[in-house]
Amino acid sequence: GARLMPLLENTSPSVIRVTNADGETEEFSFDEVQDAIIAIVRDSVTLVLPDRGRSAWPEDIINIESN
């Protein structure tokens, strides 16, 4: 997968919003996602959060916003 931060328009955001295919949105702080990776896990675009267990990783991602 690819590291998330270099892919964002704002590479030092205060908040990251991740939206999945069901329309659910989760917000993360910079500290929570600074080491995150975007990867395909079980045929689904997934935000891999190394400091969290796999059950906490957002899946089926369709949009990521930074501000």
Side-chain angles (χ1 to χ4, degrees), residues 13-58:
S14 58
V15 174
I16 304 286
R17 286 182 192 84
V18 178
T19 305
N20 69 18
D22 293 331
E24 298 168 344
T25 300
E26 291 184 68
E27 289 191 357
F28 298 93
S29 69
F30 173 81
D31 290 337
E32 291 176 292
V33 296
Q34 66 183 349
D35 295 324
I37 297 168
I38 295 291
I40 303 296
V41 177
R42 294 181 291 230
D43 297 324
S44 174
V45 178
T46 302
L47 184 63
V48 177
L49 302 166
D51 294 334
R52 293 187 178 195
R54 180 177 249 173
S55 64
W57 297 352

